[in-house]
Amino acid sequence: MLNEDILDRHKLYLVAVSGGADSVALLLMMHDGGYRIEAVHCNFHLRGKEADRDEHFVVDLCSRLGVRLHRVHFDTREYAELHKQSIETAARNLRYAYFSNLCRDIGAEAIVVAHHRDDNVETVLMNLVRGTGLNGMSGIRAVNSNVLRPLLGVSRKEIEDYLSRRGQDYVTDSTNLETDATRNKFRLEVMPLLATINPSVARSIDTTSRHLQEAGAIVDWALGQMTGQVLTKDVGGIDIIDTQKLLQLPSPKYLLNHICSLYGFTPQQTDVVFQMMGNGTKGKAIASPTHEIAAEKSRLLIAPSSVLPQPLRIPMEGRYVFGNGHICVESVSTSSPDFSIERSPNVACLDSSTVTFPLTIRQWHDGDRFTPFGMKGSKLVSDYLTDRKKNYFERRRQLVVEDAKGTILWLVGERTSEKCRVAAETREVIRIEAPSGSPKGE
């Protein structure tokens, strides 16, 4: 009954055992099959004495089989409340996080769980009712990273018949007999109703999900190929999607959703991004938990989320913490034999007679103007950045240093002000060194 194609008798496996029919059968099959196994049981403290009964049952079973058992207790309700999750989601997150850590600690190859064909069918139907795509209709996979499901091709009835032949008892979760949980409604009401139309409905749905998994493998391959055609990674820390190429490929919105999902964006956010791409929206970014995406001309820009530093007041010369680095301000005499005007984009040399403390380093604002080195008239910082072909994220990260009079002395990493230029008659220079992570000139 086990799918032995995904197992290896020479490797150690961690078997999740709840005490129910499915996990008990899995434990027995792997034990009898000569596999190297250790068991793990989670007590979520959700069903009072019944949960303790399940734990004692698993302890006795593993002791009789001579299988090492790991046990863990969770305060699931408190975790769910703390993380604003449903009880079901909290329990799943808790157990799989623990399984993964334990698997690593004992040197196990993978975690083996007892999902079977009926679980897969219920999952497919639930996804269909909620609204889903190809992956959702493909159901549960036998191999998913370090989680294996060797009973996925076996029905619940076949499992119960197997245990009956062996004379092996098991525990029953009373909540599985109630219809107030969504999955239980499908199990106890929807599936029996569908079986009146087609007695083999479970097998038919399971077969369909397997076909869709095969089709999904082809789609995944095609998505990978097309992603490589439109996505250029790490251009100055920014990934770029060529929207002109994207629109020439089959189902551009589907492809965009795939790419955006790699950066943590939801399908709903992808819909907004697609609209931004179509109407040329500028100056707006959409954020996922890890990245931001912005539309610009014929491309989409994707950058890691970052916290922009707060403005820093610099009352006098010295070394100051700024963002993830330091900003250094010092006086240098031009008569020093070692003096020379540095050309590093993160260093500015200004005539001290033109600088009035305190200084401030901050992000630029709309309406900011400065007189770029080599020019006579002032210019909007926004126009300067546009002329320099800075993209959305480069513009947003741009810093300026201004003095007490509100004069912008330096567009950090770009250009100093003509008003502060070091001339032949300059006797003392204010040297400012910005953090190495500040925007750099091209």
Side-chain angles (χ1 to χ4, degrees), residues 312 314 316-321 325-329 433:
L312 173 68
I314 303 170
M316 63 184 70
E317 297 172 27
R319 181 180 175 89
Y320 300 85
V321 176
H326 295 84
I327 183 167
C328 300
V329 182
E433 183 174 354

Side-chain angles (χ1 to χ4, degrees), residues 2-17 26-27 30-31 33-40 67-70 99 102-104 106-113 142-143 145-150:
L2 284 175
N3 177 3
E4 297 192 353
D5 292 340
I6 63 175
L7 298 171
D8 184 339
R9 284 184 174 80
H10 297 95
K11 294 178 178 178
L12 176 65
Y13 295 104
L14 182 65
V15 182
V17 185
L26 174 63
L27 181 67
M30 294 198 69
H31 176 267
Y35 290 97
R36 295 176 56 214
I37 57 173
E38 294 184 14
V40 58
V67 174
R68 184 184 181 189
L69 173 65
H70 305 268
F99 290 168
L102 179 58
C103 195
R104 183 187 62 249
I106 67 174
E109 176 69 13
I111 306 152
V112 185
V113 295
V143 179
S145 186
N146 67 336
V147 178
L148 307 181
R149 300 180 174 90

Side-chain angles (χ1 to χ4, degrees), residues 169-244:
D169 61 343
Y170 52 88
V171 296
T172 301
D173 182 344
S174 61
T175 60
N176 288 340
L177 305 177
E178 302 170 359
T179 58
D180 58 346
T182 302
R183 183 174 288 275
N184 288 351
K185 287 184 178 180
F186 279 92
R187 178 180 302 157
L188 303 176
E189 298 179 359
V190 176
M191 286 304 298
L193 179 61
L194 292 176
T196 64
I197 302 171
N198 176 9
S200 301
V201 64
R203 186 178 298 277
S204 298
I205 294 174
D206 183 70
T207 300
T208 298
S209 76
R210 301 293 160 239
H211 292 331
L212 291 175
Q213 282 188 16
E214 294 174 3
I218 297 172
V219 171
D220 289 343
W221 176 85
L223 287 172
Q225 295 293 309
M226 292 188 290
T227 297
Q229 295 177 38
V230 303
L231 178 64
T232 303
K233 297 185 70 65
D234 199 18
V235 179
I238 296 172
D239 296 349
I240 299 172
I241 299 174
D242 186 322
T243 57
Q244 288 185 332

